[in-house]
Amino acid sequence: MQRIAVLGGGAWGTALAVHLARLGRDVTLWARASNNRSGRALHAAACVVSAIPSHGTRDVIRRARGLLPPEATVVSATKGLEVETLLRVSEVIEDELGSDRPIAVLSGPSFAAELARGAPTAVAVAGNCEATVAAVQREFRSGYFRLYATQDLVGVEIGGAMKNVIAIAAGAVESLGLGDNCPSALITRGLAEISRLASALGGQRETLAGLSGLGDLVLTCTGQLSRNRSVGIELGKGRPLEEILGKMRAVAEGVRTTEAALALGGRHGVELPITAQMADVLAGQKTPRVAVEELMLRRQRSEVEVE
Ligand SMILES: NC(=O)C1=CN([C@@H]2O[C@H](COP(=O)(O)OP(=O)(O)OC[C@H]3O[C@@H](n4cnc5c(N)ncnc54)[C@H](O)[C@@H]3O)[C@@H](O)[C@H]2O)C=CC1
Ligand SMILES: O=C(CO)COP(=O)(O)O
């Protein structure tokens, strides 16, 4: 798997390309403004890493389809859901490239800037076939990058997508200056909510206790580099969403994922109280303070759910 093409010239695509180049892989980075040479590099790729934001993935993969060798592995590094279809990103890729295509998903606590400078980082890798997962584990690992294998695509992708929703909430709570109890409760009940949705979709609850669940949730809810958390911080200051997003150059996936996750929960009869409150906050229908009050006054219940 020496020849690798990375789709997406944003922070994450660039960090992964830098990492892979450091490992001696023959890497081409495809960004929106790329020329034909980068397009042609897809012909020779043994592996294609997709780090396009979720809303652009289908279009980019569709355009790359004719250029990709049939056996090339596609590794999704995107964290989100397709709003129009409520599909996970690996499902979007499969939809476009067919179910025979080897597909893997990389997700876990991994700020792009930290991977780019070689800070120790561990992630989960899931896939539709064991050999594909093992190959990605082997090809991407380094002294500072470690990959844990799993077959649970659903758990890994729902964990990666949903943590961004809770991170926006964590940022908002931080802005309100409510102390340390409240963010801790938010992370814990956020994880319960993510696990509930993943489980209803066929994922394993244990996956959500791992790197692409608890691990990434803690990082994104508390890390200074998180864009999603920073959106929440600004919302907590009373700024309207359009103004916040208008000033941001990078993608905050949690904004779109909130709507998609809520719809997915509705479709599968899964209650997502924090996500539902965040949807109202993002729509400007409620302040973060009112959302916290309403969450606190919900009917009290057992902590552990019996399925
Ligand atoms: N930045 C990070 O630390 C990490 C990001 N991710 C995930 O990676 C994905 C990409 O994030 P970043 O690279 O950080 O975003 P970014 O905001 O830094 O860059 C996004 C890139 O995608 C391109 N783009 C935007 N819309 C597009 C479209 N419709 N079609 C084609 N290209 C489009 C932009 O031109 C830009 O090059 C997201 O799903 C994010 O959640 C995952 C792990 C870490
Ligand atoms: O996914 C990430 C870290 O694992 C990056 O989070 P943000 O998109 O909130 O910056």
Side-chain angles (χ1 to χ4, degrees), residues 79 108-111 163-164 216 219-220 225-229 251:
K79 294 172 180 171
S110 49
F111 282 136
K163 61 88 186 172
N164 287 329
D216 212 357
L219 179 80
T220 319
L225 294 177
S226 167
R227 288 95 41 106
N228 287 287
R229 176 176 157 275
V251 66

Side-chain angles (χ1 to χ4, degrees), residues 8-14 30-32 50-57 59-60 63 77-80 106 108 110-113 160 163-164 216 225 227-228 249-253:
W12 193 220
T14 306
W30 179 95
R32 265 206 280 207
S50 175
I52 308 284
S54 54
H55 62 273
T57 302
D59 184 47
V60 173
R63 282 191 284 134
T78 301
K79 294 172 180 171
L106 203 77
S110 49
F111 282 136
K163 61 88 186 172
N164 287 329
D216 212 357
L225 294 177
R227 288 95 41 106
N228 287 287
R249 288 180 53 226
V251 66
E253 288 272 19

Side-chain angles (χ1 to χ4, degrees), residues 64-262:
R65 185 165 53 194
L67 302 168
L68 287 183
E71 67 286 355
T73 297
V74 178
V75 180
S76 168
T78 301
K79 294 172 180 171
L81 297 167
E82 188 175 61
V83 175
E84 298 79 11
T85 59
L86 309 186
L87 292 177
R88 291 177 282 108
V89 174
S90 73
E91 292 179 305
V92 171
I93 294 170
E94 188 181 300
D95 215 20
E96 291 298 325
L97 301 182
S99 55
D100 293 344
R101 171 76 54 177
I103 298 174
V105 170
L106 203 77
S107 179
S110 49
F111 282 136
E114 296 195 11
L115 180 69
R117 67 173 158 81
T121 301
V123 298
V125 55
N128 58 1
C129 127
E130 245 174 82
T132 302
V133 171
V136 174
Q137 247 186 326
R138 192 174 57 242
E139 294 293 320
F140 283 61
R141 86 151 309 168
S142 78
Y144 60 84
F145 195 56
R146 188 173 167 77
L147 300 94
Y148 286 85
T150 166
Q151 296 300 307
D152 186 9
L153 270 169
V154 174
V156 165
E157 284 188 290
I158 293 298
M162 283 286 286
K163 61 88 186 172
N164 287 329
V165 177
I166 308 301
I168 298 177
V173 159
E174 195 176 317
S175 256
L176 297 178
L178 300 173
D180 293 333
N181 295 351
C182 184
S184 183
L186 178 71
I187 289 173
T188 312
R189 294 312 303 168
L191 185 62
E193 190 161 316
I194 297 171
S195 306
R196 199 153 57 228
L197 181 62
S199 168
L201 296 175
Q204 293 154 17
R205 281 180 178 268
E206 299 77 38
T207 304
L208 284 307
L211 290 160
S212 189
L214 180 62
D216 212 357
L217 187 60
V218 169
L219 179 80
T220 319
C221 287
T222 63
Q224 302 299 311
L225 294 177
S226 167
R227 288 95 41 106
N228 287 287
R229 176 176 157 275
S230 75
V231 167
I233 288 176
E234 296 306 314
L235 282 171
K237 290 178 185 163
R239 304 225 161 94
L241 182 64
E242 299 69 45
E243 188 187 310
I244 301 166
L245 297 183
K247 288 192 178 142
M248 274 183 84
R249 288 180 53 226
V251 66
E253 288 272 19
V255 174
R256 283 192 186 84
T257 303
T258 301
E259 187 193 325
L262 198 58

